[in-house]
């Protein structure tokens, strides 16, 4: 497993996800309510911002674009902090969320960012993910060997 990064120098407490040297500052979705709401309703998303969905245990995940007004990329991430697969999620004209996007294997995390961001920085399946900044204690414990 890849541990949550910590060092002696002072780091920003803002949760961050880094993949292949590219960092996104993330909002966390750790409760069922936060995960259900996700990024719905937002009209824009900066290139360096995203949302990290955190689940208590790895499982098959599925997402939809209900209420989402901007296209998104989603990376499904396993408990070993490796990307399982990535999908680009399109906005549905009626915002109903009928199309489902699924992890190909059990995943513990899902990272949503602006559509096309992963391709622009060459992030793909199998890449290692590093979590840094402040995360709930349960995430830190599960991410350390």
């Amino acid at each position: 497993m890849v541990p949550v990064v910590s060092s002696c120098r002072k780091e920003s407490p803002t949760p961050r996800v880094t993949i292949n040297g590219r960092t996104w500052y993330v909002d966390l979705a750790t409760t069922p309510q936060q995960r259900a709401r996700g990024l719905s309703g937002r009209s824009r998303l900066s290139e360096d911002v995203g949302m990290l969905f955190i689940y208590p245990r790895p499982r098959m995940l599925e997402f939809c674009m209900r209420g989402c007004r901007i296209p998104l990329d989603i990376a499904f991430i396993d408990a070993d902090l490796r990307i399982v697969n990535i999908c680009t999620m399109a906005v549905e004209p009626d915002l109903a969320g009928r199309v489902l996007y699924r992890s190909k294997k059990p995943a513990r995390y899902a990272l949503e960012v602006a559509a096309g961001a992963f391709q622009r920085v060459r992030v793909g399946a199998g890449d290692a993910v590093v979590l840094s900044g402040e995360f709930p204690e349960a995430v830190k414990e599960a991410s350390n060997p």
Side-chain angles (χ1 to χ4, degrees):
M1 282 194 206
V2 178
V4 172
V5 173
S6 64
S7 68
C8 294
R9 67 187 165 149
K10 189 163 177 101
E11 289 189 22
S12 165
T14 303
R16 297 178 308 284
V17 176
T18 302
I19 310 167
N20 291 348
R22 174 68 167 89
T23 299
W24 288 271
Y25 295 87
V26 294
D27 290 331
L28 301 179
T30 60
T31 67
Q33 297 81 7
Q34 291 168 332
R35 292 191 295 259
R37 184 175 46 252
L39 292 171
S40 62
R42 295 203 190 178
S43 57
R44 67 181 292 279
L45 191 64
S46 299
E47 277 290 310
D48 65 343
V49 172
M51 179 168 275
L52 184 66
F53 297 77
I54 302 171
Y55 293 84
R57 288 171 300 290
R59 62 186 223 192
M60 298 302 288
L61 298 178
E62 62 181 27
F63 280 66
C64 70
M65 291 288 284
R66 183 177 35 256
C68 287
R69 302 176 183 285
I70 52 175
L72 300 168
D73 279 352
I74 187 167
F76 296 101
I77 303 164
D78 67 18
D80 292 328
L81 295 173
R82 292 272 177 190
I83 296 177
V84 172
N85 63 296
I86 294 174
C87 301
T88 297
M89 304 187 297
V91 175
E92 295 179 28
D94 59 2
L95 305 179
R98 290 184 184 90
V99 178
L100 296 178
Y101 301 88
R102 296 180 173 96
S103 60
K104 291 183 177 180
K105 297 189 310 190
R108 178 147 188 257
Y109 310 91
L111 173 63
E112 288 183 344
V113 299
F118 292 138
Q119 184 177 18
R120 284 190 286 280
V121 295
R122 294 186 171 94
V123 167
D127 288 347
V129 176
V130 177
L131 306 179
S132 54
E134 286 189 18
F135 282 84
E137 246 350 274
V139 174
K140 291 178 187 176
E141 290 166 9
S143 298
N144 286 315

